Amino acid sequence: MTRYLLRRLSHALLLIIGVSILAFLFTTLAPGNYFDEMRLNPQIAPETLVALRAQYQLDRPLPLRYLSWINSVLHGQMGFSFAYNGPVAPLLLIRAKNTLLLTITATLLAWAIALPLGIWSAERLGRFPDRIISWSTATLLVIPDLALALGLLVLAVRTHWFPTGGMASVDFGSLSGIHKIRDLALHMTFPVAALVLSALPLLVRHVRAAVAEVLHAPFLLAAEGHGIPRLALLFRYALPAAANPLLSLFGFSIGALLSGSLLIEVVMSWPGLGPFLLEAILARDIYIVIGGVLFSTVFLAAGNFLADILLYWLDPRIRTESAPQ
């Protein structure tokens, strides 16, 4: 197992390094920088701008700036923000916690809905319930994430059932423990719903296809002949047999929901990475942008690594292939 995990970790590390190089290259070579607007201010002397560029090492060659940035990453700083005049990592960590809370909740909820729906659809393949689920997922699949988020936001404004923005109420600090959880849940309802609805069609279709492929396997027909109840047959035998592609999809879905959550956060004013990165992009605060891209890549790699661990644990064929000869 150690060799298998080390190989997967090395792949993830190479991916993160490659993404960091591309992100650093594209953001630093983009036209304009944070100090361009300062040149238009007659109260700021040109010497001050030169000193600021030197302070943030913008006057150095690109390879040296990248190596300096890597050094700051190793020291837990991830560069310095122009706007906040401080290390990028603490600024991102505060908001990354909120994004992870939203993404993990939506991922678990989406899979909790997709598994029984997909299995039920596969078990009734071609019949009316399967067609209803297929039409519903096809309809959700063609609706853009932005339209879903805006529709839910309009619903929140019209009905006043749930808060329309933010993560907590103004009086959150004075609430008791259970009321804090309730307040947080109310603020999360529509952002999580938007993420779940955007991810659900793809998950249901994959679960349906994977389970339908194994439903007529000989071992399932033999188990059914022994009188095993249908529900146990589906969840105890069919689902594990179809688990390999679904586990790979699980890792991918974390990254997909994370990228989708950035847009949802902006629309619904959730204080996560989305609004923070948008603000940094508009201000050309490049080290925050690079740090946000790197965080997203790490989350995606972590999701896929988790899927690899689950595959290794559930599939004896992978353990046999990775065992030393």
Side-chain angles (χ1 to χ4, degrees):
M1 180 177 183
T2 303
R3 289 179 57 190
Y4 176 80
L5 295 182
L6 286 176
R7 186 167 66 249
R8 292 300 182 181
L9 277 174
S10 64
H11 293 167
L13 184 60
L14 288 175
L15 171 66
I16 292 170
I17 293 173
V19 169
S20 72
I21 293 173
L22 292 176
F24 196 91
L25 180 66
F26 291 149
T27 52
T28 53
L29 292 182
N33 60 63
Y34 181 80
F35 303 105
D36 280 350
E37 293 185 6
M38 292 185 179
R39 292 193 179 95
L40 304 177
N41 190 341
Q43 297 179 347
I44 300 178
E47 294 79 9
T48 303
L49 293 177
V50 172
L52 286 172
R53 288 179 59 83
Q55 177 184 346
Y56 290 101
Q57 301 181 0
L58 295 180
D59 57 342
R60 302 177 66 186
L62 187 59
L64 293 180
R65 288 160 57 190
Y66 178 74
L67 291 176
S68 176
W69 178 77
I70 288 292
N71 182 59
S72 73
V73 170
L74 296 177
H75 286 83
Q77 295 174 338
M78 299 182 71
F80 279 78
S81 166
F82 304 147
Y84 294 88
N85 193 30
V88 168
L91 299 172
L92 288 174
L93 280 173
I94 295 172
R95 294 157 178 85
K97 293 176 184 177
N98 300 336
T99 296
L100 279 178
L101 175 64
L102 199 64
T103 303
I104 292 174
T105 303
T107 300
L108 296 178
L109 186 58
W111 276 97
I113 297 172
L115 284 175
L117 265 184
I119 293 172
W120 189 57
S121 180
E123 204 266 339
R124 291 160 177 78
L125 196 64
R127 288 185 273 175
F128 184 71
D130 175 49
R131 292 178 183 176
I132 290 293
I133 293 176
S134 297
W135 293 338
S136 301
T137 54
T139 302
L140 284 174
L141 203 57
V142 299
I143 300 176
D145 293 350
L146 180 60
L148 272 175
L150 289 175
L152 289 172
L153 191 60
V154 170
L155 180 63
V157 171
R158 293 288 180 85
T159 61
H160 302 287
W161 292 343
F162 298 95
T164 56
M167 186 177 173
S169 300
V170 178
D171 59 344
F172 184 81
S174 62
L175 298 176
S176 61
I178 189 67
H179 287 92
K180 284 184 178 180
I181 295 174
R182 178 180 178 275
D183 184 72
L184 178 61
L186 288 174
H187 281 82
M188 288 179 61
T189 299
F190 275 138
V192 168
L195 287 174
V196 169
L197 289 175
S198 65
L200 202 56
L202 185 66
L203 299 184
V204 170
R205 285 169 172 260
H206 274 81
V207 173
R208 173 182 178 270
V211 174
E213 190 175 348
V214 302
L215 273 181
H216 300 290
F219 78 94
L220 281 178
L221 297 176
E224 188 176 13
H226 282 80
I228 296 176
R230 189 65 177 173
L231 196 62
L233 191 73
L234 291 171
F235 283 91
R236 188 174 177 182
Y237 296 97
L239 184 58
N244 277 23
L246 298 182
L247 288 175
S248 300
L249 179 64
F250 175 75
F252 174 77
S253 68
I254 295 177
L257 277 178
L258 178 66
S259 60
S261 72
L262 301 183
L263 174 63
I264 302 298
E265 288 173 358
V266 172
V267 174
M268 297 194 168
S269 302
W270 182 265
L273 288 174
F276 190 56
L277 288 181
L278 178 62
E279 176 189 331
I281 291 170
L282 295 176
R284 298 186 181 93
D285 201 346
I286 59 172
Y287 292 115
I288 287 183
V289 177
I290 296 170
V293 172
L294 193 64
F295 262 66
S296 301
T297 306
V298 169
F299 293 156
L300 177 60
N304 282 277
F305 184 66
L306 176 61
D308 288 335
I309 293 176
L310 293 174
L311 278 171
Y312 186 91
W313 177 52
L314 290 174
D315 194 340
R317 294 171 297 180
I318 296 178
R319 295 196 293 272
T320 301
E321 290 173 4
S322 60
Q325 300 297 326

